[in-house]
Amino acid sequence: QQQVKQSPQSLIVQKGGISIINCAYENTAFDYFPWYQQFPGKGPALLIAIRPDVSEKKEGRFTISFNKSAKQFSLHIMDSQPGDSATYFCAASKETSGSRLTFGEGTQLTVNP
Amino acid sequence: DGGITQSPKYLFRKEGQNVTLSCEQNLNHDAMYWYRQDPGQGLRLIYYSQIVNDFQKGDIAEGYSVSREKKESFPLTVTSAQKNPTAFYLCASTVWSSQANYGYTFGSGTRLTVV
């Protein structure tokens, strides 16, 4: 009920390409879905988040697509750059701030120049 | 600058020894969290606290203990009962609100190694 499944575990993309990371959740009570970006030796940082009342949210080169009926959401990174190379985590929780986040397993993205 | 400070950055523990990881925030956040990160396993919740003098177990609390005597501080003790403590430990905090979710702010982590 509390799991969030993330795929792929690792992803290699050429500079300028599109990176796509997928997540699936089980708990229908979840209504807040953030993505975090983590560089080596650092803590994760909030990248972008979506709520289930919309199917897509875009911020710059980063887009979240959300499919409520399938209980899936994905992160798309357009025009991927070497500086995007990092580990990406999806997560889910209830809308109320302070609710515990359940994280996916993480995707290590490498963007080759 | 506001943020979360975790110390030390690296910590070495001998077998059978208790160690305490520090987490301090000056963001005036209500809720604080401890996560453990292992390769390929994502972030797993150890303990969390939504208010001073109160905390709850997460998914992997065995072998760990916490306290929340001050709003800005949430130290984690890794006890000798934790059989596999080598990991990267992350502290996070957030504002408590019933109106919106503001996401977590994370510290830079403490890497604990058993020697």
Side-chain angles (χ1 to χ4, degrees):
Chain A
Q1 272 289 342
Q2 295 295 323
Q3 282 188 321
V4 176
K5 292 297 215 181
Q6 183 172 346
S7 63
Q9 187 173 7
S10 63
L11 180 62
I12 300 174
V13 174
Q14 291 300 118
K15 178 182 177 180
I18 302 174
S19 304
I20 301 174
I21 305 170
N22 301 297
C23 283
Y25 63 98
E26 299 173 355
N27 189 342
T28 55
F30 287 153
D31 51 13
Y32 172 73
F33 303 91
W35 285 88
Y36 284 80
Q37 180 188 55
Q38 183 183 31
F39 293 104
K42 302 294 185 184
L46 180 63
L47 189 61
I48 186 173
I50 197 169
R51 291 163 178 79
D53 54 340
V54 296
S55 60
E56 186 174 283
K57 182 175 182 179
K58 183 176 180 179
E59 289 184 3
R61 296 185 293 110
F62 300 90
T63 300
I64 299 179
S65 298
F66 184 80
N67 186 330
K68 187 174 182 178
S69 61
K71 292 188 287 185
Q72 295 176 347
F73 58 110
S74 60
L75 176 69
H76 296 234
I77 306 175
M78 311 300 288
D79 187 26
S80 299
Q81 300 296 313
D84 297 330
S85 297
T87 300
Y88 292 82
F89 293 96
C90 63
S93 78
K94 295 180 181 179
E95 171 71 20
T96 306
S97 189
S99 297
R100 49 177 291 177
L101 276 171
T102 298
F103 285 86
E105 298 91 342
T107 296
Q108 186 166 347
L109 171 66
T110 301
V111 181
N112 288 328
Chain B
D1 287 337
I4 297 181
T5 301
Q6 289 188 241
S7 61
K9 190 172 179 66
Y10 300 96
L11 185 58
F12 298 90
R13 192 195 92 167
K14 294 181 180 179
E15 295 281 352
Q17 191 178 46
N18 292 356
V19 291
T20 297
L21 284 60
S22 171
C23 178
E24 302 277 336
Q25 55 98 357
N26 60 4
L27 300 165
N28 199 33
H29 284 176
D30 309 285
M32 297 186 74
Y33 309 81
W34 275 105
Y35 283 86
R36 169 178 171 145
Q37 184 174 13
D38 296 280
Q41 296 193 52
L43 281 68
R44 293 182 291 166
L45 182 64
I46 304 172
Y47 268 98
Y48 64 106
S49 168
Q50 294 172 330
I51 194 170
V52 175
N53 292 322
D54 188 42
F55 49 83
Q56 288 78 40
K57 292 182 179 180
D59 300 319
I60 55 165
E62 185 176 352
Y64 300 97
S65 66
V66 293
S67 63
R68 186 85 187 278
E69 297 177 358
K70 299 185 295 182
K71 186 176 184 179
E72 58 270 24
S73 179
F74 191 40
L76 173 74
T77 296
V78 184
T79 74
S80 57
Q82 171 51 238
K83 298 307 179 186
N84 185 23
T86 295
F88 190 50
Y89 291 86
L90 287 160
C91 179
S93 69
T94 190
V95 174
W96 175 262
S97 170
S98 63
Q99 305 303 313
N101 197 317
Y102 295 96
Y104 288 8
T105 299
F106 280 89
S108 294
T110 292
R111 186 164 299 280
L112 174 63
T113 304
V114 174
V115 295

